[in-house]
Amino acid sequence: MDAIRIPAPGELDALEDDQFRHVVRAFVHAHYPAHLRNPPKRLHWAENQEWYHILAREGWLCPGWPKEHGGLGLSPAKQIILTEEYERHGVARCNDHGIVMLGPLVIQYGTAAQRQEFLPKILTGEHVWCQGYSEPNAGSDLAALRTEAVLDGDHYVVNGQKIWTTLAMDANWIFLLVRTDKHAKKQEGISFLLVDMTTPGITVRPIINLELHDEFCEVFFDNVRVPKANLVGQLNKGWDMAKALLGFERIFLGSPRQSGYALSRLKLLAERMGVADDPAFADTYARLRLDFEDLKALFGTYVDKLKRGETLGPDVSMLKVLQTELFQRITDTMLEIAGENAGLLEPMEGNRDLNLGGLYIQARPATIYGGSNEIQRNILSKNVLNLPG
Amino acid sequence: MDAIRIPAPGELDALEDDQFRHVVRAFVHAHYPAHLRNPPKRLHWAENQEWYHILAREGWLCPGWPKEHGGLGLSPAKQIILTEEYERHGVARCNDHGIVMLGPLVIQYGTAAQRQEFLPKILTGEHVWCQGYSEPNAGSDLAALRTEAVLDGDHYVVNGQKIWTTLAMDANWIFLLVRTDKHAKKQEGISFLLVDMTTPGITVRPIINLELHDEFCEVFFDNVRVPKANLVGQLNKGWDMAKALLGFERIFLGSPRQSGYALSRLKLLAERMGVADDPAFADTYARLRLDFEDLKALFGTYVDKLKRGETLGPDVSMLKVLQTELFQRITDTMLEIAGENAGLLEPMEGNRDLNLGGLYIQARPATIYGGSNEIQRNILSKNVLNLPG
Amino acid sequence: MSAATADDRAESIRMIRDSAAAVAPPGADLGRIRALRFTDPGFDRAVLVQMGEMGWLGLRLPEAQGGAALGLGEACALAEELGAALVPEPLVAAMLSAAVLAAAGAKLDDVVAGRHYLPLAWQDRADTLDIAAGRDAPRCFVPMAAGADGYLVPVREAGRLALYRATGEARIERTQDGGNLGSFVPVLGERLAADIALDALLDEAALLSAAYLLGGMERAFAMTLDYLRTRSQFGRIIGTFQALQHRAADLKMHLAMTRASVESAAAALDAGATGDARRAAVSRAKARAAEAGLLVTRQCIQLHGGIGYTDQYDVGLYLRKAMVVANQYGSATLHRRRFMATAPEGDE
Amino acid sequence: MSAATADDRAESIRMIRDSAAAVAPPGADLGRIRALRFTDPGFDRAVLVQMGEMGWLGLRLPEAQGGAALGLGEACALAEELGAALVPEPLVAAMLSAAVLAAAGAKLDDVVAGRHYLPLAWQDRADTLDIAAGRDAPRCFVPMAAGADGYLVPVREAGRLALYRATGEARIERTQDGGNLGSFVPVLGERLAADIALDALLDEAALLSAAYLLGGMERAFAMTLDYLRTRSQFGRIIGTFQALQHRAADLKMHLAMTRASVESAAAALDAGATGDARRAAVSRAKARAAEAGLLVTRQCIQLHGGIGYTDQYDVGLYLRKAMVVANQYGSATLHRRRFMATAPEGDE
């Protein structure tokens, strides 16, 4: 790659889109640690903090934050380009809940003191955040959450349990949705609280998932005392805030890149198995390929909307459903053609690109998390097609 | 075919199953009018009465009726063999509502006078029956029916409308489910009434269906006076009676024969289109063929149950769903390989066996009628899998 | 394309959609379409003339040839609107004829005006995009041949493709939508060109047929949603049944994928895609539209239940139309294969 | 088969099912199975001996060879029960070894008793039913090779298939279910037979693997139904959601088709089907079980939601098992093709 000058962070938002894309390519090429490309599993902080600190050092950590708070101030369209190029290069996801979720929420709803307290520590990596939303009986039905915060003098006392808390063992802070009014209707009476995970009474228990990986945790709260000042926004308005933050980022759940990656691995596997030219396989592959191409085209129409400054409606759910189910069908096909290799625990032939069993398993939760595809279809039915309740 | 002696009707029930199968083959070979084999559409009385009268003359008209009422007294297993052989030969369905539905109901629930009045006239073809169950707002939800019968002296006065009444234009009698108690709960307050279609106040209006065929009718009742004596069974117990009659015959809705027929036509079409040896088509065909073979095996397990004298549970619904959806997938595949022939109104090349558009359209209602497949899945979920309401 | 140009295009496409109301008035019933079914020639010559007057048949032609010099974005939008209204006048075939005559440098006023219908008789078998070029080879599957005023017939001569005007006694076969297809042995008349390239023009026709299917799917789906919102069974509006809701959501996704496929293909061609890039874009769109067109219309029947199976209820007309159009200018299978043969592997 | 015989068979099959409780007690948790995962050799030798004592490993052998002379109906029922309990001891492979030794006329007591595990190393590549027969060709995908006490190795000699006892340094690869597969270059030992036919025996193994998958599918589905009947979201038992109900109904139909396929294949073989008739029956069953086994277990994960994706919840163990067994003794694709190559066209 020819040397492309990488402008100062503050200049990135002013670039033309194509130019910006080339800059991002040059940036990851120059800075991303090669040994972290396309990791087979979600990385822990011990592994990905190297990249986190590079991003922090270069000023690239927070693409969506306004410049005055230390971000790049990128438009949605540019953020998508950034993500596309990261994904193309195989850049691993950071422990990014502070960057993606908490930062924007504090910027929008926090007090000046909260901004001053928390934003800089995300930018340095001093605070690593995790997100405490789901509970054992509040998964798809998040508003049923029961973890409770009761005011006691200058503190909230928190009791309850969170589950599916991504990388909680790596985090030193957690943001919580907690119930602060038991008598209000379900979605009301929920507040947003910031909790130092070193506070006494917090227990983190990793969950081993089907990848045999401890990506998620249960987090238990037993009379955990949280200073009143750590409440963000209005009391009992936490639900609305958290929901408002689900902005254009929902489009990322539908990025076709994951399917594109899987498709290229399917192709490789087909070659290794000697079926790439088998006409029946070719027919299956053609269908998957066309689904991928049309999904890219559909995804593009949403990116175009963002470029035009439009906000995305609930129909963006389609992308998530289509992408995750395509991803699954691709990995299903891998198993079908792999013969006995389908059952191997480790990548076939020791080749990370032939990690077919791993991909098959990784593809499973895609249709469950981020709002299960059943929930997404409910949304489409009610909010897009206007079918009755 | 070697001459097989066809025993007297009264001896058929005593034959071994295999022997009986050969007798049926010989019978249809000897008696079935060749020009009526595999008709592309449901035949009207004008066309099929020839066969009706042959069956009547030979004493074969009513396989399931007890011998004392003029039937063959065949076991369920033998009735299935009979049907299989009829279907194999391409025997068209008669106007058989009197034979299949009304006769058994009158035998079981009718008075001696009703049996004497109605059964012989079915056996001679003097009465041709149709079935008035569905209404415009009582289709899948049949119990919502509103056609009303009000007692006025010695008569019920019937007002209302039936729809999807098969071949009503051919019938001179109709059996009705009517509401006789408006204040009872839905399934109660329904009675079973026999109505002479020449009674003043009845209007039959054919419905042209997607086959461009007038198989169904709307039947309107405007102050139609029906003698009290034409009530079958107890007042307000019609629903239970009609439901009880849905016996082992439900298995016929899942007979794989229709799919077998369609599959053989798909094969023929593939040969004509030059794709029979195309590996991608071969793969699709293999999947359909295996679905057919396994459906045959599954169907066989239900036939075996009948042979063992067991009654069939609600799981027999599976056969109907599997068969009708397989039938549809076969005809879907026909359209996919037929090129521009897919759009032709008449059979391709004037060959009745290449009636692909016709078959495609005929396959559509299979998943709607006889209890839509959505209803069947509800039944499976609730009555077989015991999932909660 | 700059933002300003994109806005101009969007406006131009909107105008074309609005103009379609001249032939397919919004909210109108399908009485005219029903009346023409199974008649000869199966369409209304006066409406074809009206379509000519609207500038539709020459939509793609340069202004120097009497055309409107509009893009495939506009042409697809128009085909989609007419598909939604099941307009039987052969828009796609007539546009193809106009384009062929223009490419031949031949007189085209009557065709562009809709006064003469001279379909291109380019195929000698089912499901192909290969140009039939034998001098005496029978031509088949000519759309709405019962209304043809003659034919345009390509003939291979000395390694080149010549174009003739031709006549022939057509054998007419009716189609499920009430139209017809014709086959005939050509009797060649005037030679209109000695060397003509038809592939790109056939590709445009294939793309327009995909757009026509898309319009029909959208309308059939809209009818189905209306039905789900109003029909009651078991004391409930059937649109409240979750299994039907999810089915509807699936159909919506098929529609969204089809629209993205067709519109991105049109945009690619308008942006100058040629050769394999053009073939891949068109094949992608037609493969999608053919498969989804059949799938969506048959699901619409299912969601309607019994009423959907009656001829008097309109949704069945869309099923029948999809049966006819799905495989015109190439089936899904043909286009899937052509896509794989022409599309570069992804950049993954 | 007369009614009396059919009743006897049903009773014999019921008894075998009951006897499976010795190794797979009804209602037991999967603690033993979990403890063996990712260990060496991945199964419990004592349990294999117990299986020998139960007469399972020689189930199919004639009584003269110390077997129980039972049919495939019984063998499939047993494999199904062990599949339902995810029993890791290599029932199918050990039964195959016993059958091969019996066919070779070789000493088989230790294998039938479960004291020695001598898997047949018959393949030299993935997804095949062809017998590898090169003297030095590496053998691969040997099930539970970490526990092998040696191997049975077919070798082509003068156009015939000889059978050797062999050793070899196996490279062990772990599998998703916690077991392992081995590959090695054979070091031939004693020649056990000069001419042996293995095809029919491999077919039986393929059918038993289908039955094993069926058992796993059934149990995973039963767990899923329990979950649907008890889990609440949005204030409702999730089993009341119609979309999930219909999904469950679909899975039930896959199960019913798989059972019909496996049991009818077993019945066909028990009734004496040989050659192509045997191959067609077995391939039909294995194609169905392989495809449905993967489909049903992954749908069971989906219906469980998040909990289904944890390792501590049992349903995931069934997914992992299906990944390993689905393609053993031939994938769905291989068997679909073999079915078409061997089955006569229907009588339609």
Side-chain angles (χ1 to χ4, degrees):
Chain A
M1 192 176 296
D2 288 342
I4 290 182
R5 192 189 67 86
I6 297 171
E11 295 168 18
L12 292 169
D13 64 325
L15 298 177
E16 287 287 321
D17 283 357
D18 276 357
Q19 206 182 348
F20 177 71
R21 188 182 291 280
H22 284 103
V23 165
V24 177
R25 281 188 201 183
F27 180 84
V28 292
H29 193 78
H31 294 293
Y32 190 71
H35 66 281
L36 295 182
R37 285 185 73 172
N38 287 318
K41 290 174 182 172
R42 182 85 188 249
L43 299 182
H44 278 295
W45 178 245
E47 301 155 305
N48 69 28
Q49 61 172 309
E50 176 184 358
W51 173 233
Y52 192 104
H53 286 125
I54 291 168
L55 288 167
R57 182 190 75 209
E58 300 296 325
W60 278 52
L61 192 65
C62 299
W65 294 14
K67 289 188 202 172
E68 68 264 35
H69 295 297
L72 295 173
L74 297 182
S75 67
K78 280 215 175 56
Q79 290 181 56
I80 287 170
I81 291 171
L82 184 84
T83 305
E84 281 177 353
E85 293 305 318
Y86 279 11
E87 287 178 343
R88 186 195 305 274
H89 192 73
V91 171
R93 231 178 117 178
C94 288
N95 294 46
D96 58 6
H97 282 98
I99 299 163
V100 175
M101 298 296 297
L102 184 70
L105 192 129
V106 165
I107 290 168
Q108 193 167 345
Y109 298 100
T111 61
Q114 286 171 335
R115 291 186 202 162
Q116 218 158 352
E117 167 69 14
F118 292 107
L119 298 183
K121 289 175 178 164
I122 292 170
L123 287 164
T124 59
E126 182 181 341
H127 283 183
V128 177
W129 286 88
C130 64
Q131 165 186 302
Y133 283 7
S134 293
E135 299 185 6
N137 288 302
S140 290
D141 183 15
L142 186 56
L145 63 88
R146 292 190 302 189
T147 293
E148 204 181 359
V150 177
L151 198 59
D152 176 29
D154 282 348
H155 287 77
Y156 287 101
V157 180
V158 179
N159 279 287
Q161 181 196 348
K162 295 293 177 180
I163 196 169
W164 315 128
T165 315
T166 305
L167 301 179
M169 69 286 277
D170 292 348
N172 47 21
W173 280 77
I174 183 169
F175 52 94
L176 293 179
L177 287 176
V178 289
R179 189 157 299 283
T180 38
D181 182 349
K182 290 212 278 197
H183 307 293
K185 274 190 287 175
K186 253 171 107 180
Q187 274 125 352
E188 298 160 23
I190 291 175
S191 298
F192 197 97
L193 215 53
L194 311 181
V195 183
D196 182 339
M197 290 187 74
T198 62
T199 320
I202 297 181
T203 309
V204 174
R205 191 185 297 160
I207 299 169
I208 309 294
N209 66 16
L210 280 197
E211 292 181 64
L212 305 178
H213 183 52
D214 55 349
E215 181 175 351
F216 307 112
C217 297
E218 295 175 288
V219 185
F220 299 87
F221 298 85
D222 180 17
N223 287 318
V224 176
R225 296 186 68 82
V226 181
K228 256 182 85 170
N230 287 9
L231 179 80
V232 183
Q234 276 184 271
L235 188 69
N236 295 332
K237 296 292 177 204
W239 179 263
D240 298 332
M241 276 164 41
K243 218 178 148 193
L245 255 285
L246 291 174
F248 82 92
E249 295 84 358
R250 287 176 302 159
I251 197 176
F252 290 121
L253 291 171
S255 163
R257 188 63 53 178
Q258 195 176 37
S259 287
Y261 173 84
L263 208 50
S264 69
R265 271 54 186 178
L266 172 60
K267 178 96 178 169
L268 181 67
L269 175 64
E271 283 158 8
R272 287 295 308 132
M273 296 302 301
V275 299
D277 296 324
D278 176 279
F281 170 77
D283 187 62
T284 302
Y285 183 76
R287 287 169 195 268
L288 295 170
R289 175 79 195 282
L290 282 163
D291 285 347
F292 170 62
E293 298 291 342
D294 286 340
L295 177 59
K296 276 206 297 190
L298 183 60
F299 184 79
T301 65
Y302 285 87
V303 173
D304 288 345
K305 278 185 194 173
L306 289 175
K307 283 189 185 163
R308 291 194 301 267
E310 298 174 24
T311 48
L312 302 183
D315 51 319
V316 71
S317 280
M318 290 195 291
L319 295 177
K320 194 259 180 179
V321 175
L322 289 164
Q323 136 62 19
T324 53
E325 295 179 4
L326 173 57
F327 180 35
Q328 290 188 341
R329 279 184 288 123
I330 294 168
T331 64
D332 298 349
T333 306
M334 286 184 175
L335 256 60
E336 287 165 16
I337 66 169
E340 286 83 350
N341 297 297
L344 296 178
L345 186 67
E346 301 294 333
M348 177 177 159
E349 301 173 356
N351 180 348
R352 196 188 254 194
D353 288 330
L354 294 174
N355 181 27
L356 40 131
L359 267 186
Y360 181 77
I361 289 181
Q362 273 171 46
R364 297 310 118 198
T367 50
I368 296 172
Y369 297 134
S372 74
N373 285 19
E374 288 80 13
I375 300 281
Q376 304 292 345
R377 285 187 168 85
N378 288 346
I379 292 171
L380 287 170
S381 162
K382 296 196 177 109
N383 301 337
V384 177
L385 304 180
N386 298 314
L387 290 176
Chain B
M1 189 175 296
D2 288 341
I4 290 182
R5 192 188 68 85
I6 297 171
E11 297 167 18
L12 292 170
D13 64 325
L15 298 177
E16 288 286 320
D17 283 357
D18 276 357
Q19 206 183 350
F20 177 69
R21 188 181 292 278
H22 285 102
V23 166
V24 177
R25 283 190 198 181
F27 181 83
V28 291
H29 194 78
H31 293 295
Y32 190 70
H35 66 281
L36 295 182
R37 285 186 73 172
N38 287 316
K41 291 175 182 171
R42 182 85 188 251
L43 299 181
H44 278 294
W45 178 244
E47 300 155 305
N48 68 28
Q49 61 171 311
E50 176 183 358
W51 173 233
Y52 193 104
H53 286 124
I54 291 168
L55 288 167
R57 182 190 73 210
E58 300 295 325
W60 278 52
L61 192 65
C62 299
W65 294 14
K67 290 188 202 172
E68 68 263 35
H69 294 298
L72 294 173
L74 297 182
S75 67
K78 280 216 175 56
Q79 289 181 57
I80 287 169
I81 292 171
L82 183 84
T83 306
E84 281 177 354
E85 293 305 318
Y86 279 11
E87 287 177 343
R88 186 195 305 274
H89 192 76
V91 171
R93 231 177 118 178
C94 288
N95 294 46
D96 58 7
H97 282 99
I99 300 164
V100 175
M101 299 296 296
L102 184 70
L105 192 130
V106 165
I107 289 168
Q108 194 169 344
Y109 299 101
T111 60
Q114 285 170 336
R115 292 187 201 162
Q116 219 158 352
E117 167 69 15
F118 294 107
L119 298 183
K121 289 175 179 163
I122 292 170
L123 287 164
T124 58
E126 182 181 340
H127 283 183
V128 178
W129 286 87
C130 63
Q131 166 186 301
Y133 283 7
S134 294
E135 298 184 7
N137 287 302
S140 290
D141 183 16
L142 185 57
L145 63 87
R146 292 191 301 190
T147 294
E148 204 182 0
V150 177
L151 198 58
D152 177 29
D154 282 347
H155 286 77
Y156 287 101
V157 180
V158 178
N159 278 287
Q161 182 197 347
K162 295 291 176 181
I163 196 170
W164 316 126
T165 314
T166 305
L167 301 179
M169 71 286 276
D170 292 348
N172 46 22
W173 279 78
I174 184 167
F175 52 93
L176 292 180
L177 286 176
V178 289
R179 190 158 299 283
T180 38
D181 182 348
K182 288 211 282 196
H183 307 293
K185 274 191 287 176
K186 255 171 104 180
Q187 274 124 352
E188 299 160 23
I190 291 176
S191 299
F192 197 97
L193 215 52
L194 311 181
V195 184
D196 182 339
M197 290 188 75
T198 62
T199 320
I202 297 180
T203 310
V204 174
R205 189 185 299 160
I207 299 169
I208 308 296
N209 67 16
L210 281 197
E211 293 179 65
L212 305 177
H213 183 51
D214 56 348
E215 181 175 350
F216 307 112
C217 296
E218 296 175 287
V219 185
F220 299 87
F221 298 85
D222 181 19
N223 287 319
V224 175
R225 297 185 70 83
V226 181
K228 255 181 87 169
N230 287 8
L231 179 80
V232 183
Q234 275 185 273
L235 189 69
N236 295 333
K237 295 292 175 202
W239 179 263
D240 299 330
M241 273 164 42
K243 218 178 148 193
L245 256 284
L246 291 174
F248 83 92
E249 296 84 358
R250 287 175 303 158
I251 198 176
F252 290 122
L253 291 170
S255 163
R257 187 63 51 175
Q258 194 175 36
S259 287
Y261 174 83
L263 208 48
S264 70
R265 271 52 185 179
L266 172 60
K267 177 97 178 167
L268 181 67
L269 175 64
E271 283 159 7
R272 287 294 307 131
M273 296 302 300
V275 300
D277 296 324
D278 176 279
F281 171 77
D283 188 62
T284 302
Y285 183 76
R287 287 170 195 267
L288 295 170
R289 175 79 195 281
L290 282 164
D291 285 346
F292 170 62
E293 297 290 342
D294 286 341
L295 177 59
K296 274 206 299 191
L298 183 61
F299 184 80
T301 66
Y302 286 87
V303 174
D304 288 345
K305 277 185 196 174
L306 289 176
K307 283 189 185 165
R308 292 195 300 268
E310 297 173 25
T311 48
L312 302 183
D315 52 318
V316 71
S317 280
M318 291 195 291
L319 295 176
K320 194 259 180 180
V321 174
L322 288 164
Q323 136 63 20
T324 54
E325 294 179 5
L326 174 57
F327 180 35
Q328 289 188 343
R329 280 184 288 121
I330 295 168
T331 64
D332 298 349
T333 305
M334 285 183 176
L335 256 59
E336 286 166 18
I337 66 169
E340 287 83 350
N341 297 298
L344 295 179
L345 185 67
E346 300 294 334
M348 177 177 159
E349 302 174 356
N351 179 349
R352 197 187 252 196
D353 288 329
L354 295 173
N355 181 27
L356 41 131
L359 266 186
Y360 180 78
I361 289 180
Q362 272 171 45
R364 297 311 118 198
T367 51
I368 296 172
Y369 298 134
S372 75
N373 285 18
E374 288 79 14
I375 300 283
Q376 304 292 345
R377 285 185 167 86
N378 289 346
I379 292 171
L380 287 170
S381 162
K382 295 193 178 111
N383 300 338
V384 178
L385 304 179
N386 297 314
L387 289 176
Chain C
M1 200 184 296
S2 76
T5 321
D7 285 351
D8 290 351
R9 273 312 286 288
E11 175 62 14
S12 162
I13 288 171
R14 199 189 55 72
M15 281 172 60
I16 280 284
R17 281 191 198 277
D18 289 349
S19 81
V23 164
D29 68 25
L30 296 174
R32 185 181 84 85
I33 277 71
R34 286 184 174 277
L36 288 166
R37 289 201 301 165
F38 310 119
T39 63
D40 279 337
F43 63 92
D44 184 341
R45 291 183 163 280
V47 172
L48 192 63
V49 169
Q50 190 187 0
M51 288 163 61
E53 285 164 0
M54 298 290 297
W56 294 348
L57 306 181
L59 189 89
R60 295 276 295 133
L61 302 184
E63 289 174 14
Q65 288 178 295
L70 291 174
L72 274 164
E74 286 84 351
C76 281
L78 177 62
E80 191 192 324
E81 294 298 327
L82 298 202
L86 295 175
V87 169
E89 286 72 25
L91 174 81
V92 177
M95 286 179 76
L96 176 58
S97 299
V100 168
L101 287 171
K107 176 170 159 358
L108 43 67
D109 319 22
D110 287 339
V111 164
V112 169
R115 285 187 298 270
H116 283 177
Y117 175 51
L118 291 179
L120 180 71
W122 57 277
Q123 65 187 129
D124 61 359
R125 61 182 190 278
D127 202 14
T128 182
L129 288 177
D130 296 344
I131 310 281
R135 180 168 285 269
D136 307 315
R139 306 301 201 270
C140 56
F141 300 120
V142 179
M144 291 296 191
D149 302 299
Y151 305 95
L152 302 177
V153 170
V155 174
R156 180 86 50 201
E157 287 179 355
R160 292 180 173 168
L161 210 53
L163 183 75
Y164 284 84
R165 194 169 161 140
T167 56
E169 273 304 311
R171 189 170 65 87
I172 301 295
E173 292 189 280
R174 293 208 190 283
T175 46
Q176 292 283 356
D177 60 349
N180 57 79
L181 295 171
S183 50
F184 66 99
V185 177
V187 178
L188 299 184
E190 183 189 358
R191 190 167 86 161
L192 301 173
D195 186 7
I196 192 166
L198 294 175
D199 291 18
L201 306 180
L202 273 182
D203 270 354
E204 289 202 9
L207 181 56
L208 292 176
S209 74
Y212 189 96
L213 282 164
L214 172 60
M217 289 157 65
E218 287 277 17
R219 187 66 60 90
F221 183 59
M223 291 174 60
T224 304
L225 288 177
D226 281 345
Y227 189 77
L228 291 175
R229 290 188 199 109
T230 49
R231 167 77 172 169
S232 277
Q233 291 276 276
F234 303 102
R236 289 167 56 181
I237 299 286
I238 62 172
T240 63
F241 286 103
Q242 196 192 29
L244 305 192
Q245 291 179 341
H246 284 200
R247 200 97 59 83
D250 285 338
L251 297 184
K252 174 67 186 170
M253 288 187 274
H254 281 290
L255 282 167
M257 289 280 271
T258 308
R259 176 169 299 286
S261 194
V262 169
E263 293 185 349
S264 66
L269 268 59
D270 281 339
T274 56
D276 275 356
R278 182 196 73 230
R279 283 185 272 271
V282 168
S283 283
R284 178 160 68 82
K286 184 68 205 299
R288 174 71 52 189
E291 190 154 2
L294 291 169
L295 184 150
V296 169
T297 51
R298 65 192 177 223
Q299 282 287 330
C300 286
I301 300 286
Q302 179 70 22
L303 287 168
H304 273 85
I307 189 82
Y309 196 63
T310 62
D311 187 61
Q312 72 182 37
Y313 196 85
D314 287 341
V315 74
L317 299 181
Y318 289 88
L319 178 93
R320 306 176 88 87
K321 181 61 83 178
M323 293 171 72
V324 177
V325 183
N327 292 345
Q328 274 176 344
Y329 307 103
S331 69
T333 304
L334 180 150
H335 281 291
R336 263 198 306 276
R337 289 179 184 177
R338 200 178 72 149
F339 172 81
M340 292 306 285
T342 53
E345 274 299 325
D347 56 0
E348 301 311 318
Chain D
M1 201 184 296
S2 76
T5 321
D7 285 352
D8 291 350
R9 274 311 288 287
E11 175 62 14
S12 163
I13 288 172
R14 198 188 56 71
M15 281 173 60
I16 280 285
R17 282 192 196 277
D18 290 348
S19 81
V23 165
D29 68 25
L30 296 174
R32 185 181 86 83
I33 277 72
R34 286 184 174 278
L36 287 166
R37 288 201 302 164
F38 310 120
T39 64
D40 278 336
F43 63 93
D44 184 341
R45 289 182 164 282
V47 172
L48 191 62
V49 169
Q50 189 187 1
M51 288 163 62
E53 287 163 358
M54 298 291 297
W56 294 349
L57 306 182
L59 190 89
R60 294 276 295 133
L61 302 184
E63 289 174 13
Q65 286 176 297
L70 292 174
L72 275 164
E74 287 84 353
C76 283
L78 177 62
E80 191 191 324
E81 294 298 327
L82 299 201
L86 294 174
V87 169
E89 286 72 25
L91 174 80
V92 177
M95 286 180 77
L96 176 58
S97 299
V100 168
L101 288 170
K107 177 172 158 354
L108 43 66
D109 320 20
D110 287 339
V111 164
V112 168
R115 286 187 298 270
H116 283 177
Y117 176 51
L118 291 179
L120 180 71
W122 57 276
Q123 66 188 127
D124 61 0
R125 60 182 190 279
D127 203 14
T128 181
L129 287 178
D130 295 344
I131 312 282
R135 179 169 285 269
D136 307 313
R139 306 300 202 269
C140 56
F141 300 120
V142 179
M144 291 296 190
D149 303 298
Y151 304 94
L152 301 178
V153 170
V155 174
R156 179 86 51 201
E157 288 178 355
R160 290 178 176 171
L161 210 54
L163 183 75
Y164 283 84
R165 192 166 162 141
T167 56
E169 273 304 312
R171 188 170 67 87
I172 300 295
E173 293 189 280
R174 293 207 189 284
T175 46
Q176 291 283 355
D177 60 349
N180 57 78
L181 295 171
S183 49
F184 66 98
V185 177
V187 179
L188 299 184
E190 183 188 359
R191 191 167 84 160
L192 302 173
D195 186 7
I196 191 165
L198 294 175
D199 291 19
L201 306 180
L202 274 181
D203 270 354
E204 288 202 9
L207 181 56
L208 291 176
S209 74
Y212 189 96
L213 282 164
L214 172 60
M217 290 157 64
E218 288 276 18
R219 187 67 59 89
F221 183 59
M223 292 174 59
T224 303
L225 288 177
D226 281 345
Y227 189 77
L228 291 174
R229 289 188 199 109
T230 50
R231 168 77 172 169
S232 277
Q233 291 274 277
F234 303 102
R236 287 168 57 180
I237 300 286
I238 62 173
T240 63
F241 287 103
Q242 195 191 30
L244 305 191
Q245 292 180 340
H246 283 200
R247 200 97 59 84
D250 286 338
L251 297 183
K252 174 66 185 170
M253 288 186 274
H254 281 289
L255 283 167
M257 289 280 271
T258 308
R259 177 169 300 286
S261 193
V262 168
E263 294 186 348
S264 65
L269 269 60
D270 282 340
T274 57
D276 276 355
R278 182 195 72 230
R279 283 185 272 272
V282 168
S283 283
R284 179 159 69 82
K286 183 70 204 300
R288 173 70 53 188
E291 189 154 3
L294 291 168
L295 183 150
V296 169
T297 52
R298 67 192 177 225
Q299 281 287 330
C300 286
I301 300 286
Q302 178 71 21
L303 287 168
H304 273 86
I307 189 80
Y309 196 63
T310 62
D311 187 61
Q312 72 183 39
Y313 196 88
D314 287 341
V315 74
L317 300 181
Y318 289 87
L319 178 93
R320 305 176 90 87
K321 182 61 84 178
M323 292 171 73
V324 177
V325 182
N327 293 345
Q328 276 177 342
Y329 307 102
S331 69
T333 303
L334 180 149
H335 281 291
R336 262 198 307 275
R337 288 178 185 179
R338 200 178 71 147
F339 172 81
M340 292 307 285
T342 53
E345 273 299 325
D347 57 359
E348 301 312 317

